[in-house]
Amino acid sequence: ADFLLESGKEKIANQNELKVKPIVSKPKTYKKKTKVKKLSIKQTRQLVNNLQIQISNKNKEEVDSLLKTLAVSSGENSIVYLRMNAYWSTTIDDDVTAESMYKRILFQKPEDIQANTNLALLEARNNKVGQAISRLKALKIANPSDKSIVVYLEKIESKYDK
């Protein structure tokens, strides 16, 4: 078939000579933006309280659901989410995840007594006794008035450091 170009004067005898790139357009996808509802302090406390109850009952489905809600509302890097995830992981003996969560807390807040203490207990339980004792001794120096650190240090030294 003969084709006329825009000028109307030139003819192309063979269709193969006319190189037309097909217009390929990707269909536009519209991502529905989901508004993350920020919980109030009171709502977050209620969620955490409910989470603690479900963790103590070892109700995996409910804990997973509540942790997801907490992650969405507070953020996956929030101290409260990391702490509750660590608590759950410790409860189900998932020491690898618990250790990771405590280290993420300490990355943001190196002086956190609870995270340092719990990480030391995990370290001792996983045959990293020297590391646990060093952690608690450093924590004791930084927080001389906190008697719980001394208690945990003595427990670890008497139980593991032989």
Side-chain angles (χ1 to χ4, degrees):
D2 290 347
F3 294 97
L4 292 176
L5 295 179
E6 287 179 20
S7 68
K9 296 179 184 173
E10 297 178 75
K11 288 186 180 182
I12 298 176
N14 186 347
Q15 185 175 353
N16 291 335
E17 290 178 26
L18 183 64
K19 294 184 180 177
V20 178
K21 291 184 178 178
I23 298 174
V24 178
S25 62
K26 294 180 182 176
K28 288 188 178 185
T29 55
Y30 297 96
K31 216 176 199 180
K32 187 178 179 182
K33 286 190 176 185
T34 53
K35 275 194 171 183
V36 175
K37 185 180 177 191
K38 191 86 170 150
L39 297 178
S40 69
I41 292 171
K42 183 179 178 182
Q43 290 171 318
T44 301
R45 281 189 190 128
Q46 289 171 335
L47 177 62
V48 168
N49 288 339
N50 193 10
L51 194 47
Q52 288 172 328
I53 292 166
Q54 297 306 322
I55 288 172
S56 66
N57 293 333
K58 293 190 177 184
N59 185 345
K60 182 181 176 4
E61 291 77 27
E62 192 63 26
V63 169
D64 287 344
S65 173
L66 292 169
L67 278 173
K68 283 179 186 170
T69 301
L70 188 59
V72 169
S73 65
S74 297
E76 289 186 355
N77 288 317
S78 69
I79 299 290
V80 67
Y81 170 76
L82 295 171
R83 196 176 307 283
M84 294 309 297
N85 197 340
Y87 175 39
W88 170 239
S89 299
T90 302
T91 302
I92 61 170
D93 294 325
D94 181 356
D95 290 352
V96 172
T97 302
E99 184 176 339
S100 170
M101 295 297 118
Y102 288 126
K103 285 181 177 178
R104 286 175 61 188
I105 292 169
L106 294 173
F107 181 76
Q108 294 179 52
K109 195 176 171 190
E111 72 287 353
D112 189 291
I113 294 172
Q114 186 180 10
N116 271 297
T117 303
N118 288 332
L119 184 55
L121 293 171
L122 278 174
E123 289 168 341
R125 189 164 79 185
N126 289 297
N127 300 316
K128 299 175 188 171
V129 179
Q131 200 171 327
I133 291 171
S134 295
R135 179 179 303 282
L136 289 176
K137 284 182 177 178
L139 199 59
K140 185 176 101 175
I141 291 168
N143 303 279
S145 63
D146 192 319
K147 303 299 179 208
S148 69
I149 299 167
V150 175
V151 171
Y152 287 116
L153 184 57
E154 288 172 354
K155 281 184 180 182
I156 289 173
E157 287 176 329
S158 67
K159 185 174 181 178
Y160 299 101
D161 195 28
K162 295 178 181 175

